[in-house]
Amino acid sequence: MTDNEIIEALKTLLKPMENHMEEIDLKLDKLDLKIESLRLENKTEHRLIRKDVEHLNDEMETVIEALRAKNILPLPKQM
């Protein structure tokens, strides 16, 4: 068997492995995209939650001030 025949035989044997590796690479790329999408969703949700908490804090401050104005809630003690 010549060197070229050996090389061709090896290429033939390695071709299915190469195809499998390409398939694995594609699956990894797809997983990377899914992970990145989840990260973006997570950041978006965190931002929305922070906005909601800020809004609730503002509303709570308004309620507290309204209750203090009606003398339902005592004024904070001065130091």
Side-chain angles (χ1 to χ4, degrees):
M1 201 175 226
T2 67
D3 287 345
N4 283 341
E5 290 172 333
I6 293 172
I7 290 172
E8 287 305 314
L10 287 172
K11 282 182 181 179
T12 302
L13 288 173
L14 292 175
K15 189 65 178 170
M17 290 165 77
E18 183 181 336
N19 289 340
H20 187 67
M21 292 300 289
E22 287 175 4
E23 188 177 319
I24 289 172
D25 283 344
L26 288 173
K27 287 180 180 180
L28 285 173
D29 289 344
K30 189 175 178 181
L31 282 173
D32 282 344
L33 286 173
K34 286 181 179 181
I35 289 170
E36 193 57 38
S37 174
L38 285 172
R39 282 185 183 144
L40 181 60
E41 268 184 59
N42 188 302
K43 282 184 179 181
T44 303
E45 291 300 320
H46 276 269
R47 203 170 286 136
L48 289 172
I49 289 169
R50 278 196 307 268
K51 277 186 169 182
D52 286 346
V53 168
E54 287 175 15
H55 179 72
L56 288 172
N57 282 337
D58 289 345
E59 287 183 352
M60 190 55 122
E61 286 176 18
T62 302
V63 168
I64 289 171
E65 290 304 317
L67 292 174
R68 284 182 179 152
K70 294 182 179 188
N71 292 321
I72 297 173
L73 193 64
L75 293 172
K77 294 181 180 178
Q78 300 288 330
M79 290 192 184

